[in-house]
Amino acid sequence: MPNTIRRSGFAAILSIATLTSAVAQDWPSRNVTVVLPLPAGVASDVISRVVFEQVGKQVGQTFVIENRPGAGGTIGASMVAKAAPDGHTILVYGSIAAANALYKSLPYDTVNDFTPTVLFGQTPLVVITGAGRYKTLGELVSAAKAKPGQLNYSTVGVGSAAHFGAERLAVSAGFSAQHVPFRSGEWLTEIIAGRIDFAVPPVATAIGAIRDGKLVPLAVSSSTRTVSLPNAPTMLEAGLKSDAIYPFYTGAYLPARTPPAIAGKLHAEVTKALAVPAVRERLVAIGVDPMPMTLAEFGAFFKKDIADNLELVKAAKIPTQ
């Protein structure tokens, strides 16, 4: 009898393993919807299109990018949280941890309704100011401390990477500044015109004006220098502590309860796509630095980022909504 039970148990395990493998092999069996809770043209949108065009070629299916902006990204995220966990609906989001910290009530559970699956890379933030205003990050910090609350910074809106990045800088350096959110490209033109003191946007959104000499990069918010701006110092090199760094990354998430085999295959296919020279070159050109992680590493990183953003909101006294 014991041998019979052992054989039956082994057969059951083998059957489950075979079924799991088959599920992964069959994915994707149709077009895949990639939900981006942001407008077309932003960094995460461009990244998604570049990467999933290549992934589609690899697996022989079409990945359709669907932009669903609104409510700080929570509308699109909610769609994916409620989608069938079969790997055919993917969320690509760069500010999911910030939204979790900013909104008191969400139509989903950030930690339990998603499976963090794969990172596309990090888009370092860069502290910028108008030409002729400040030459170093130290000068900006000194000016802000000399005039508490009088300097201002611009962003594309509350809860954006530029918003949280600027507040992380202010908390770490020990100063306060006025937040001036915009809904369009005015956030950039106002800095160039000198009416805004500084900003901390993703490199990709400011690199053109920096290369044209209209903006001065004072430091990048990453632990190492970025390929896109090799002459810009890191926050640490500029004299601040590591807690000044605000990591802004773009990742792909699947609905919770998606079979691990499918999550593993998506991770593998995206990783393979990121290694293609043409894809890598296009991402570097828009300011994306590689940030390779295993599934488990991304899961742990994601949970820490959730906690860090909650802590930042409290420390910077950012009003929740």
Side-chain angles (χ1 to χ4, degrees), residues 188 192 202-215 229 285:
L188 186 62
I192 295 172
V203 168
T205 62
I207 197 165
I210 290 173
R211 289 172 175 168
D212 290 341
K214 297 177 181 178
L215 296 172
L229 294 172

Side-chain angles (χ1 to χ4, degrees), residues 27-34 61-65 87-90:
W27 179 89
S29 58
R30 60 180 188 275
N31 287 355
V32 178
T33 299
V34 179
Q61 292 289 351
T62 300
F63 286 71
V64 181
I65 308 298
H88 290 89
T89 306
I90 301 170

Side-chain angles (χ1 to χ4, degrees), residues 81-141:
K82 298 172 182 176
D86 58 8
H88 290 89
T89 306
I90 301 170
L91 173 68
V92 173
Y93 205 174
S95 299
I96 189 169
N100 179 75
L102 186 64
Y103 294 100
K104 296 178 182 178
S105 178
L106 290 170
Y108 54 82
D109 184 315
T110 306
V111 175
N112 296 313
D113 285 349
F114 301 100
T115 299
T117 306
V118 63
L119 271 174
F120 297 140
Q122 179 179 7
T123 305
L125 307 183
V126 57
V127 185
I128 54 173
T129 187
R133 184 176 286 263
Y134 304 109
K135 295 181 180 179
T136 67
L137 182 60
E139 288 186 5
L140 169 63
V141 171

Side-chain angles (χ1 to χ4, degrees), residues 28-214:
S29 58
R30 60 180 188 275
N31 287 355
V32 178
T33 299
V34 179
V35 178
L36 197 70
L38 298 165
V42 300
S44 294
D45 177 71
V46 176
I47 293 169
S48 298
R49 294 177 190 279
V50 170
V51 174
F52 282 115
E53 179 182 359
Q54 176 60 35
V55 173
K57 293 176 182 177
Q58 294 169 188
V59 300
Q61 292 289 351
T62 300
F63 286 71
V64 181
I65 308 298
E66 190 171 314
N67 297 92
R68 288 297 186 102
T74 61
I75 293 176
S78 180
M79 284 180 57
V80 178
K82 298 172 182 176
D86 58 8
H88 290 89
T89 306
I90 301 170
L91 173 68
V92 173
Y93 205 174
S95 299
I96 189 169
N100 179 75
L102 186 64
Y103 294 100
K104 296 178 182 178
S105 178
L106 290 170
Y108 54 82
D109 184 315
T110 306
V111 175
N112 296 313
D113 285 349
F114 301 100
T115 299
T117 306
V118 63
L119 271 174
F120 297 140
Q122 179 179 7
T123 305
L125 307 183
V126 57
V127 185
I128 54 173
T129 187
R133 184 176 286 263
Y134 304 109
K135 295 181 180 179
T136 67
L137 182 60
E139 288 186 5
L140 169 63
V141 171
S142 295
K145 287 183 176 180
K147 300 178 180 178
Q150 293 186 43
L151 266 62
N152 54 32
Y153 68 90
S154 59
T155 74
V156 294
V158 174
S160 63
H163 177 203
F164 276 42
E167 290 296 340
R168 173 72 74 191
L169 168 63
V171 169
S172 177
F175 69 82
S176 59
Q178 293 293 323
H179 178 202
V180 184
F182 291 93
R183 292 186 177 180
S184 65
E186 290 177 298
W187 73 269
L188 186 62
T189 57
E190 290 295 290
I191 301 174
I192 295 172
R195 288 183 286 270
I196 293 292
D197 296 298
F198 71 100
V200 192
V203 168
T205 62
I207 197 165
I210 290 173
R211 289 172 175 168
D212 290 341
K214 297 177 181 178

Side-chain angles (χ1 to χ4, degrees), residues 43-44 47 94 119-126 161 200-206 220-222 226 228 246-250 283 286-291:
S44 294
I47 293 169
L119 271 174
F120 297 140
Q122 179 179 7
T123 305
L125 307 183
V126 57
V200 192
V203 168
T205 62
V220 291
S221 181
S222 55
T226 177
S228 305
Y246 184 78
F248 180 58
Y249 57 93
T250 299
L283 295 185
I286 59 173
V288 180
D289 291 341
M291 199 177 183

Side-chain angles (χ1 to χ4, degrees), residues 4-20:
T4 301
I5 293 174
R6 280 198 295 269
R7 284 196 297 270
S8 298
F10 178 76
I13 293 172
L14 183 62
S15 176
I16 292 172
T18 302
L19 179 60
T20 299

